[in-house]
Amino acid sequence: MLEVTAIKNTLKDYSPEVERNTGDERWYRIKDETKWLPSVTTMIGSVINKGIGFEKWLGSMPSYDLACEKRDAAAEVGTRVHNLCEDLLLGKAVNLDEAEGPSYFKRLMSFVEWYKIHKPTILATELKLVHKDVPYSGTPDIVCIIDEKIHMVDIKTGAPYDTHELQLTCYKELWDKTFPEFKIDEICGLYLKDSWISKVEPMYKKYKYSIDAVNSVYNIWLWQNGGSPKPKTKKPLQTNFKLGGIIDASEQL
């Protein structure tokens, strides 16, 4: 039988000083311990596209700008749903405004239904994982115990993609290296859709641990970025300007 208290105490002791790079991409490091490491999604997204379904959707858009607007709107929904789910797991009451619409209502109803069905014992939410022996970093949404097994769960508000298996594999690799005495048993995607009509239907999909594929993706990412990639930092923008000398207008004639 799993010792829940022992796991939670171990998690309490995990408190590395994690720094985030301020550039456009997400990179993290443990201060004075690791080099800058790309986030899992930064690495995978750079190497693998989202598949034919996404390509067809992109091709059906009137313009690329409109596609980006829809993509960003969907990302906002995803972020909001993630935050609401975390609030629920932390014991907070969530009261949605009717103006937010059925998209949020249905997804939250699906999350509550998943919780009722599987009765998870929550160990951690949004735990930032960085380890000196793993060349990437990541933040799994939920780690919990279901039926005496430790599940690592990533919440999704869109359709399943093959890359989700790689993302969860990376998270498991990070967790297992960090907490080797409490390794992950199952990696799963929790898909909270708003397409159901009369029956609340959360999709809970188990994935395989595919570390060989992840290593291949990482090696390609290294090759794409010249072998020793570093985060790109934004150059501070200048607001005050003055030339070093004054040119006499007569000298220009």
Side-chain angles (χ1 to χ4, degrees):
M1 187 172 181
L2 288 170
E3 291 290 338
V4 176
T5 302
I7 300 174
K8 288 187 175 182
N9 286 337
T10 299
L11 291 173
K12 285 181 182 179
D13 293 336
Y14 175 73
S15 56
E17 188 176 349
V18 177
E19 297 179 313
R20 175 174 176 171
N21 181 61
T22 57
D24 292 332
E25 295 181 329
R26 287 182 290 175
W27 294 66
Y28 300 89
R29 70 179 176 187
I30 299 176
K31 188 175 181 180
D32 301 325
E33 184 174 335
T34 70
K35 64 180 182 180
W36 284 109
L37 303 170
S39 73
V40 167
T41 51
T42 292
M43 176 188 71
I44 295 175
S46 173
V47 175
I48 303 178
N49 65 26
K50 293 185 176 180
I52 188 63
F54 176 78
E55 297 296 335
K56 287 181 177 180
W57 172 83
L58 186 61
S60 69
M61 290 291 104
S63 71
Y64 181 71
D65 287 343
L66 181 59
C68 289
E69 288 179 16
K70 288 184 174 291
R71 176 204 63 197
D72 293 344
E76 287 182 12
V77 170
T79 298
R80 172 85 167 128
V81 169
H82 275 72
N83 292 338
L84 292 171
C85 290
E86 185 177 13
D87 285 346
L88 287 172
L89 293 176
L90 293 174
K92 300 177 183 179
V94 170
N95 300 301
L96 296 178
D97 190 294
E98 288 190 8
E100 294 190 82
S103 179
Y104 289 106
F105 306 156
K106 287 186 173 183
R107 288 185 165 100
L108 265 291
M109 289 170 71
S110 294
F111 182 72
V112 171
E113 185 67 15
W114 169 80
Y115 191 89
K116 288 180 179 178
I117 291 170
H118 296 281
K119 300 177 175 60
T121 299
I122 305 302
L123 300 174
T125 61
E126 297 292 331
L127 183 66
K128 178 63 62 186
L129 295 172
V130 184
H131 192 279
K132 62 182 179 62
D133 295 328
V134 182
Y136 40 78
S137 59
T139 309
D141 294 327
I142 302 170
V143 180
C144 61
I145 297 174
I146 298 175
D147 297 330
E148 290 299 310
K149 291 184 177 182
I150 301 179
H151 285 224
M152 178 164 278
V153 184
D154 205 55
I155 297 172
K156 302 294 185 184
T157 53
Y161 288 109
D162 292 341
T163 55
H164 295 167
E165 180 169 288
L166 303 181
Q167 182 181 356
L168 280 157
T169 294
C170 291
Y171 292 159
K172 172 176 163 57
E173 182 73 2
L174 282 160
W175 174 282
D176 289 354
K177 284 284 197 303
T178 306
F179 310 110
E181 66 274 38
F182 303 115
K183 292 186 176 181
I184 299 296
D185 298 305
E186 303 281 1
I187 54 175
C188 307
L190 173 55
Y191 296 89
L192 306 177
K193 306 296 287 290
D194 64 350
S195 54
W196 55 266
I197 303 299
S198 59
K199 183 180 179 182
V200 184
E201 293 183 318
M203 179 194 295
Y204 194 49
K205 182 175 181 179
K206 293 183 180 180
Y207 284 104
K208 294 179 181 179
Y209 175 69
S210 302
I211 193 62
D212 289 342
V214 165
N215 290 338
S216 296
V217 169
Y218 177 71
N219 287 330
I220 292 173
W221 178 81
L222 276 181
W223 169 78
Q224 280 183 333
N225 290 276
S228 56
K230 297 179 181 178
K232 298 175 182 177
T233 56
K234 292 182 178 180
K235 184 176 179 62
L237 297 180
Q238 186 176 342
T239 57
N240 299 305
F241 303 87
K242 183 179 180 181
L243 295 177
I246 299 175
I247 301 175
D248 190 324
S250 63
E251 295 179 0
Q252 298 181 357
L253 298 177

